[in-house]
Amino acid sequence: MKFKKIISVFVLLLVVIACSTNPFTGKQTMALVPNSQLFPTAFQQYNQVLSESKVVTGTAQSEMIKRVGQRISVAAERWLNANGYQGYLKDYKWEYNLIDDKTVNAWCMPGGKIVFYTGILPIAQSETGVAAIMGHEVAHALANHGQQRMSADYIQQGVALAGNIAIQNDNDRAAFNQYYGIGSQVGVMLPFSRSHEAEADKIGLILMALAGYNPSEAAELWKRMEANSGGNAPPEILSTHPSNASRIQNIQSLVPMAVSEAKKFGVTSFKPITKF
Ligand SMILES: [Zn+2]
């Protein structure tokens, strides 16, 4: 009995200590695992995915993914620095890869490790569409949404997790992928909650606008994604990013905010939207 009490106090303490502020929303968020311990696991997992996949290199498309990724990460850095969060990205090691796979998906692992599948490019339609997806995925990673899912789950299970999430076997890998919404062949993905989706949409719009891409394209992109959900192979990305009419309306209503945010950083015009 006494032991149980000590454990629950310990868990509570850990939660209090592990709360940090989300720079984009000002809200307190849970992070049971510090970035310094989470990121090496993510990097190892990312390399594993790459080693098991057909990574596209040296093509116009793979170069475009890298270009958009760089512009989005520079935008994130500028925005964070201007808002008093210097050093927030210090443990990030950005990487942007295109994988030859018909799966309609893209994701960003903790620490800025990004994958696009070639299957999502026809729905992205243009570099601006890619930027909308990139901004949204990077936003999930910056706001640590995957980690919050994991933290909430562990607390529910009463597991006092002392920062160790080393991946030792396939089960651990599958669990990690579930929390972070990664991969295409590891079973059921956990959907992001509506509030996490709304946060990622808002942050994503700011990032793409700051990077010089027209944020109004984001709503069009998610409409195309929805339109593709009827067939035999609904976009994988919708299983982790549930979308609906009110979400798309919300994105549309936030476009003027993103445009004026970009203006503060001297961005007054956007790259023309040209289909591939
Ligand atoms: Zn999302």
Side-chain angles (χ1 to χ4, degrees):
M1 198 62 201
K2 202 178 171 192
F3 181 68
K4 247 188 176 171
K5 214 171 179 180
I6 291 169
I7 288 289
S8 53
V9 168
F10 178 63
V11 171
L12 197 71
L13 204 67
L14 204 60
V15 174
V16 172
I17 291 169
C19 274
S20 59
T21 306
N22 176 340
F24 297 95
T25 61
K27 282 192 287 191
Q28 291 288 307
T29 59
M30 273 184 299
L32 284 187
V33 184
N35 284 349
S36 57
Q37 281 168 4
L38 174 67
F39 287 3
T41 302
F43 298 163
Q44 177 202 342
Q45 178 67 350
Y46 186 73
N47 288 336
Q48 178 88 27
V49 171
L50 294 184
S51 73
E52 292 168 354
S53 309
K54 271 197 273 177
V55 179
V56 183
T57 55
T59 69
Q61 287 186 332
S62 67
E63 292 304 308
M64 175 203 52
I65 296 297
K66 290 191 198 306
R67 178 170 66 245
V68 175
Q70 264 152 16
R71 290 173 72 148
I72 293 288
S73 60
V74 167
E77 185 131 35
R78 287 183 72 197
W79 194 90
L80 286 161
N81 287 347
N83 286 279
Y85 291 92
Q86 292 89 346
Y88 187 85
L89 299 172
K90 71 175 164 42
D91 295 321
Y92 279 65
K93 292 195 165 64
W94 298 98
E95 201 176 333
Y96 329 92
N97 280 291
L98 179 65
I99 287 176
D100 184 8
D101 188 310
K102 62 182 187 326
T103 307
V104 181
N105 207 359
W107 41 259
C108 177
M109 268 188 202
K113 299 292 186 182
I114 293 154
V115 155
F116 269 66
Y117 295 101
T118 48
I120 206 169
L121 296 180
I123 299 178
Q125 265 188 13
S126 66
E127 186 169 328
T128 304
V130 167
I133 300 166
M134 187 82 73
H136 182 93
E137 295 304 325
V138 165
H140 276 306
L142 291 178
N144 263 339
H145 288 154
Q147 165 138 218
Q148 285 171 60
R149 282 199 290 205
M150 185 171 73
S151 301
D153 233 33
Y154 276 126
I155 287 164
Q156 232 166 28
Q157 292 168 27
V159 177
L161 173 84
N164 187 358
I165 56 153
I167 288 176
Q168 277 149 8
N169 55 46
D170 285 352
N171 283 346
D172 295 344
R173 278 185 66 192
F176 183 90
N177 290 344
Q178 260 203 329
Y179 290 119
Y180 292 94
I182 293 157
S184 56
Q185 287 141 357
V186 278
V188 184
M189 293 289 117
L190 294 170
F192 283 104
S193 68
R194 283 174 81 136
S195 64
H196 283 177
E197 275 312 284
E199 259 178 42
D201 284 335
K202 186 180 171 193
I203 300 165
L205 284 177
I206 295 173
L207 295 181
M208 77 182 286
L210 237 78
Y213 297 105
N214 192 334
S216 63
E217 182 62 9
E220 301 309 312
L221 168 89
W222 290 104
K223 278 188 213 164
R224 287 197 293 275
M225 215 75 93
E226 280 288 289
N228 271 269
S229 66
N232 290 333
E236 175 86 14
I237 198 167
L238 288 185
S239 68
T240 45
H241 301 72
S243 200
N244 55 40
S246 72
R247 183 178 161 214
I248 289 165
Q249 261 177 8
N250 187 47
I251 293 175
Q252 271 162 341
S253 74
L254 289 170
V255 169
M257 174 280 301
V259 170
S260 74
E261 196 67 21
K263 247 185 213 144
K264 291 185 203 162
F265 291 81
V267 181
T268 50
S269 67
F270 301 114
K271 209 173 149 46
I273 300 169
T274 317
K275 287 190 187 179
F276 301 138

